[in-house]
Amino acid sequence: AQTVTQSQPEMSVQEAETVTLSCTYDTSENNYYLFWYKQPPSRQMILVIRQEAYKQQNATENRFSVNFQKAAKSFSLKISDSQLGDTAMYFCAFMKVQGGSEKLVFGKGTKLTVNP
Amino acid sequence: DTGVSQNPRHKITKRGQNVTFRCDPISEHNRLYWYRQTLGQGPEFLTYFQNEAQLEKSRLLSDRFSAERPKGSFSTLEIQRTEQGDSAMYLCASSFETGPYEQYFGPGTRLTVT
């Protein structure tokens, strides 16, 4: 079974600064996706960024980028120019591509607070 | 289409009662997922539908839980004889059946069993 570990339960950053959230995963699969989801307080889960395992290039979405190290099974999220609206729980998630359910396996999350 | 919707948003029930939640996915999506999220944890997979067929169920889904998606559109999740341990946020998500398999989540139904 796949597992996802987020070792930082809480983090804080000053507005406009950069912060990196860590994620490691354990799998013997070769075909999978990795995701970062954001869950603002009392609001729904939003997809932040996606990475296909077969792609060597790290994904980037505006201020959000990942550092995907396949051999190390590491998938960190970097948020640049942090904004107050980035305050949320961030979940790292793994998805095995199996021609079936493609269900998500989540880590326990990192609570990020952006301070003014 | 404004995204995945779930009703009710909050449900308080007494132990032993039955509850039913509804999820309306994004209309073009033929895959629908249910997850459960307890305090301080990430969501955990419960079950999955492709169109109207329920193709996978987690071992977390005890016999008291049943889910349906009768016409391949909306889905319901019923919990019979609720227990305090069922208190959680129940999340619904939907996606296309082809890559990149991005799942879009609803706001969730928060269940409190007293």
Side-chain angles (χ1 to χ4, degrees):
Chain A
Q2 289 77 29
T3 59
V4 176
T5 302
Q6 293 181 249
S7 59
Q8 304 150 315
E10 293 192 38
M11 292 192 72
S12 63
V13 64
Q14 292 300 120
E15 197 174 5
E17 293 187 348
T18 295
V19 64
T20 299
L21 309 183
S22 301
C23 173
T24 58
Y25 59 96
D26 186 23
T27 186
S28 57
E29 302 294 330
N30 200 42
N31 189 11
Y32 56 88
Y33 287 80
L34 295 162
F35 301 86
W36 278 98
Y37 278 87
K38 166 186 176 182
Q39 190 175 39
S42 302
R43 294 181 60 190
Q44 67 199 75
M45 196 91 71
I46 302 164
L47 177 64
V48 174
I49 199 164
R50 175 190 85 243
Q51 175 77 45
E52 292 90 333
Y54 64 86
K55 289 188 177 179
Q56 291 187 337
Q57 187 172 5
N58 289 323
T60 299
E61 289 287 343
N62 301 313
R63 299 182 295 108
F64 299 87
S65 61
V66 298
N67 182 5
F68 174 47
Q69 300 291 326
K70 190 173 182 179
K73 296 179 183 174
S74 170
F75 182 61
S76 60
L77 175 70
K78 185 172 82 170
I79 306 174
S80 304
D81 186 26
S82 297
Q83 301 176 359
L84 296 179
D86 295 333
T87 292
M89 284 291 294
Y90 286 81
F91 292 97
C92 178
F94 172 96
M95 175 192 285
K96 179 174 76 170
V97 179
Q98 58 184 13
S101 71
E102 276 76 38
K103 58 183 178 285
L104 290 164
V105 177
F106 287 87
K108 290 188 175 183
T110 295
K111 182 179 181 181
L112 176 68
T113 302
V114 180
N115 299 308
Chain B
D1 193 354
T2 56
V4 180
S5 61
Q6 292 186 247
N7 288 289
R9 295 291 306 276
H10 303 274
K11 179 71 176 179
I12 300 174
T13 190
K14 293 184 177 179
R15 189 178 56 181
Q17 297 295 304
N18 299 344
V19 294
T20 300
F21 312 139
R22 176 177 170 130
C23 170
D24 287 88
I26 293 172
S27 57
E28 299 86 5
H29 289 172
N30 57 354
R31 288 189 173 181
L32 187 148
Y33 300 80
W34 286 98
Y35 294 86
R36 180 170 68 188
Q37 185 178 21
T38 54
L39 202 61
Q41 303 292 320
E44 295 176 293
F45 170 77
L46 291 178
T47 190
Y48 144 74
F49 290 85
Q50 180 149 324
N51 300 310
E52 66 276 9
Q54 187 175 18
L55 297 184
E56 186 172 346
K57 292 195 293 185
S58 163
R59 281 173 288 181
L60 292 175
L61 215 64
S62 76
D63 291 344
R64 298 184 296 105
F65 287 70
S66 62
E68 294 183 341
R69 194 183 182 196
K71 296 184 179 179
S73 56
F74 72 92
S75 175
T76 58
L77 178 68
E78 180 183 16
I79 309 174
Q80 296 182 327
R81 305 180 303 281
T82 52
E83 301 172 356
Q84 287 190 322
D86 297 331
S87 296
M89 177 75 86
Y90 290 83
L91 298 171
C92 176
S94 68
S95 76
F96 290 110
E97 69 177 288
T98 55
Y101 307 107
E102 293 177 358
Q103 294 185 18
Y104 295 84
F105 282 80
T109 295
R110 181 167 295 284
L111 173 66
T112 302
V113 182
T114 61

